[in-house]
Amino acid sequence: MKMILLLGINDVVEEYAENVLKIDMGNDIVYYPSVTTHYTELGKYVDIAREEEPPVITTQSLEMIDVLLASDLDFEVVTVRRYDNEIKSRTMTKEDVIDCREKFDFEPRC
């Protein structure tokens, strides 16, 4: 499975990861960055992801998203939202998200 950057409200992200992606929530999803991380240290998470190759990365930080997009990591971006008790998802390539961020300040978390 290709690495996934999974975005959205945390409870929806976790429900989607567990029920749709069928991942082991204890081992296969990582939450970046830690709450004590300064923005100048965000790049270390690229190195960690490159080494550990987690199936799913999730974050609430737009700065972290931009650092991941600028990296050489290979992943797709999945954004999830709940509509009328149903989880809907949108999947985009990393390249498409980068293009949209550059062209019109696209918000990938929505």
Side-chain angles (χ1 to χ4, degrees):
M1 173 168 77
K2 186 175 192 172
M3 192 181 308
I4 296 172
L5 175 58
L6 184 56
L7 306 174
I9 296 173
N10 194 60
D11 65 326
V12 180
V13 163
E14 289 181 349
E15 185 177 336
Y16 182 86
E18 187 172 23
N19 297 330
V20 177
L21 299 177
K22 305 286 188 204
I23 66 164
D24 176 353
M25 295 299 291
N27 295 311
D28 293 339
I29 187 168
V30 293
Y31 301 83
Y32 293 159
S34 77
V35 294
T36 59
T37 301
H38 189 265
Y39 78 95
T40 60
E41 302 172 304
L42 295 177
K44 74 180 181 182
Y45 290 96
V46 172
D47 295 333
I48 293 169
R50 188 178 298 112
E51 182 179 318
E52 296 179 358
E53 298 180 352
V56 178
I57 297 172
T58 188
T59 185
Q60 298 299 324
S61 167
L62 190 57
E63 290 173 323
M64 185 76 245
I65 293 168
D66 286 337
V67 167
L68 291 168
L69 290 171
S71 76
D72 63 351
L73 295 174
D74 185 26
F75 59 87
E76 60 187 12
V77 180
V78 178
T79 305
V80 293
R81 294 186 74 169
R82 186 180 311 280
Y83 291 100
D84 299 326
N85 294 325
E86 184 180 353
I87 294 178
K88 304 280 187 172
S89 66
R90 173 190 65 213
T91 302
M92 297 177 71
T93 67
K94 176 182 173 183
E95 294 73 21
D96 285 342
V97 174
I98 291 168
D99 188 48
C100 290
R101 294 267 311 135
E102 290 172 355
K103 286 183 178 172
F104 58 91
D105 201 26
F106 173 70
E107 171 54 79
R109 299 173 294 183
C110 296

